[in-house]
Amino acid sequence: MSTLVFTGTRPEIIKMAPIVKELEKRGVEFIYVHTGQHYDYDMSKKFIEELGLPNPHIEFRLENSSPAAQIGEIMIKVEKALESLKRKPRLTLVQGDTNSVLATALTSLRLSMRVGHVEAGLRSYDWRMPEEHNRRMVDHISDYLFAPTELAKRNLEEERVLGQIYVTGNTVIDSLEIYFEKVLEVERIVLEQVKFDEYVLITFHRAENVDDPKNLKNFIEILRRSPIPIVYPLHPRTRRRLEEYGLLTMLNNMSHVQITPPQGYFEFLALLKNSRLVMTDSGGIQEEATHPRIKKPVLVLRSSTERPEAVRAGFARIVDLNPSVVLAELEKVVSHPLELPSESPFGDGRAAERIVSVVEREVT
Ligand code: UD1
Ligand code: UDP
């Protein structure tokens, strides 16, 4: 086995899937490790199954959830697992900016493997975000930096990273292309379960948003005053915080808000495709909204984004969390629908091909 493929959370599984498929197609042998950072069935295994990935060869059950302990525990477990392999893989692939990415990239480096960082070079310059710490560090210890866009490449060049940079596109676009037929298959059933004829789709889970009671209360106020009904798949981190602050009951009592459990990938994209617009603090959703078969305006519930390409292309607006500002923007977008471009700034759906070509060259 020449290559290690790591995932830890929902978006990593979705964005690594096209790479796994491409490795399989080309007969490049790999070991698939899921760190268990996301462990609920509907945040992890469901995606592995839906997207047709192999069962992870190695998988952990983490005991810690505080950030440092989570990173430490993953490092210890990865080190042990890799030391037990007869032959050490030459290359590790990690995707994104989670704690799993930092832990697995650093451990791989310590065990003398080369590291390939998929989705390298994104920068929000918001130092409150753990993801910004993780992506910066991983970019500087990676040998191969798979930048999704020219802007990401420039960010890396400005920081004088040591590894080799390749502009590949983002694999999130590949995933949409690969699985779009499945989205169409589930679309009717998904829409039958939506209570409203038209709706805004919302997701909200960033630590700097939901762990701060002031931000969480602003978010609830936005939901309460929304002039359009809302469909809201609730992330487990946010559910926990809402319960802690006694806000979940209030949310459950809003008749124009339909709260759902985290959705499967196809179901979620069906909801996105049929929404009027999406309000979110998610990274991946800012990208997916730009795909020609989705094409939705995005109001970004944050004060910055590491995906300014979506803003520049006219898909996204950064609105942060002041309820009056957000609601005014919402009214504006609904009453004057935006002219959206017919191309995504995040790639052409061939990112995995480009990434695996580099992998193949380096490991065979
Ligand atoms: C993590 C990533 C974030 C990514 C998100 C994708 C970091 C620092 N954050 O955030 O970049 O956008 O995943 O969704 O790595 N929980 C469950 N079940 C699960 C997973 C989490 O109940 O399957 C709850 C637990 O209470 C857990 C909390 O959510 O302590 C936070 O989970 P964690 O994985 O640490 O961070 P996320 O907020 O999910
Ligand atoms: N997603 C999903 N079900 C949901 C919400 C999101 O399948 O209920 C998918 C979405 O299509 C996107 C990814 O999860 O591909 C985004 O993950 P998330 O917002 O958790 O993380 P981020 O992208 O912000 O790191």
Side-chain angles (χ1 to χ4, degrees):
M1 302 287 180
S2 58
T3 307
L4 267 173
V5 175
F6 281 104
T7 62
T9 65
R10 168 171 74 187
E12 289 162 70
I13 300 169
I14 293 168
K15 289 175 169 180
M16 203 55 109
I19 295 178
V20 169
K21 295 271 165 210
E22 190 67 23
L23 289 169
E24 283 175 339
K25 192 169 130 196
R26 298 197 197 186
V28 179
E29 292 194 324
F30 63 92
I31 298 175
Y32 174 30
V33 185
H34 183 68
T35 67
Q37 178 174 340
H38 281 180
Y39 48 89
D40 288 344
Y41 175 76
D42 57 9
M43 293 298 288
S44 54
K45 265 286 157 59
K46 182 173 175 122
F47 294 91
I48 293 173
E49 289 171 8
E50 275 194 314
L51 275 56
L53 302 187
N55 246 332
H57 303 104
I58 302 171
E59 191 172 4
F60 310 124
R61 182 182 291 269
L62 301 181
E63 277 145 34
N64 294 286
S65 61
S66 79
Q70 190 181 57
I71 292 167
E73 188 181 353
I74 296 170
M75 290 185 73
I76 292 166
K77 291 194 159 146
V78 170
E79 182 178 55
K80 223 180 242 159
L82 297 190
E83 279 174 352
S84 70
L85 296 176
K86 281 199 196 85
R87 275 182 43 207
K88 213 166 27 181
R90 289 162 66 174
L91 179 73
T92 281
L93 286 174
V94 296
Q95 194 290 328
D97 50 23
T98 64
N99 288 342
S100 290
V101 171
L102 176 62
T104 54
L106 187 54
T107 311
S108 301
L109 180 72
R110 289 300 162 90
L111 296 176
S112 307
M113 281 173 267
R114 279 173 280 166
V115 176
H117 186 200
V118 178
E119 203 179 73
L122 275 60
R123 294 291 181 270
S124 67
Y125 304 102
D126 180 347
W127 213 230
R128 294 172 306 160
M129 296 180 71
E131 293 84 358
E132 185 75 359
H133 315 160
N134 293 339
R135 55 172 92 98
R136 273 197 190 224
M137 289 190 274
V138 173
D139 283 339
H140 284 268
I141 60 171
S142 294
D143 298 274
Y144 310 102
L145 297 124
F146 300 113
T149 63
E150 288 293 336
L151 175 66
K153 178 185 176 191
R154 280 203 298 281
N155 292 339
L156 294 167
E157 285 171 345
E158 272 169 24
E159 288 180 22
R160 295 169 181 272
V161 296
L162 298 173
Q164 185 69 39
I165 305 169
Y166 302 86
V167 178
T168 59
N170 196 306
T171 56
V172 78
I173 302 294
D174 303 32
S175 278
L176 250 158
E177 305 266 321
I178 297 171
Y179 300 102
F180 196 75
E181 287 305 311
K182 301 272 189 190
V183 177
L184 298 179
E185 279 171 27
V186 302
E187 193 170 19
R188 194 177 51 81
I189 296 167
V190 169
L191 292 179
E192 275 169 11
Q193 285 156 24
V194 174
K195 289 192 208 157
F196 320 110
D197 290 336
E198 63 163 18
Y199 60 89
V200 180
L201 182 63
I202 294 200
T203 80
F204 196 66
H205 75 278
R206 297 244 88 80
E208 70 277 11
N209 277 342
V210 305
D211 293 0
D212 178 338
K214 190 170 141 277
N215 286 346
L216 198 55
K217 283 194 181 131
N218 274 338
F219 172 66
I220 300 288
E221 188 58 11
I222 293 164
L223 297 187
R224 196 181 68 77
R225 287 166 48 194
S226 170
I228 319 185
I230 285 167
V231 175
Y232 176 23
L234 187 52
H235 189 284
R237 180 187 202 104
T238 316
R239 173 175 286 280
R240 212 179 73 178
R241 291 297 180 222
L242 289 167
E243 280 166 354
E244 260 174 46
Y245 300 131
L247 294 166
L248 191 56
T249 317
M250 191 204 291
L251 201 56
N252 278 325
N253 288 335
M254 293 180 193
S255 58
H256 66 293
V257 179
Q258 182 174 355
I259 298 184
T260 75
Q263 297 290 295
Y265 180 54
F266 311 140
E267 288 79 8
F268 184 80
L269 288 178
L271 285 173
L272 182 59
K273 177 171 176 282
N274 288 281
S275 64
R276 280 295 293 271
L277 71 147
V278 58
M279 299 210 288
T280 187
D281 61 2
S282 160
I285 297 167
Q286 291 176 56
E287 295 155 347
E288 287 166 342
T290 68
H291 189 278
R293 291 163 104 173
I294 302 284
K295 258 177 84 159
K296 293 293 165 192
V298 189
L299 297 184
V300 182
L301 300 171
R302 293 173 42 188
S303 54
S304 65
T305 181
E306 56 292 310
R307 280 129 172 130
E309 296 91 340
V311 178
R312 285 179 202 165
F315 287 96
R317 290 184 185 170
I318 310 287
V319 294
D320 207 359
L321 283 166
N322 177 323
S324 306
V325 174
V326 176
L327 292 163
E329 281 295 328
L330 176 58
E331 300 259 12
K332 226 190 280 172
V333 175
V334 171
S335 53
H336 297 99
L338 302 175
E339 269 297 317
L340 299 177
S342 46
E343 259 183 43
S344 168
F346 295 109
D348 59 1
R350 296 180 52 213
E353 267 177 48
R354 297 185 183 101
I355 292 165
V356 173
S357 293
V358 175
V359 171
E360 212 173 15
R361 196 181 68 215
E362 296 303 317
V363 298
T364 51

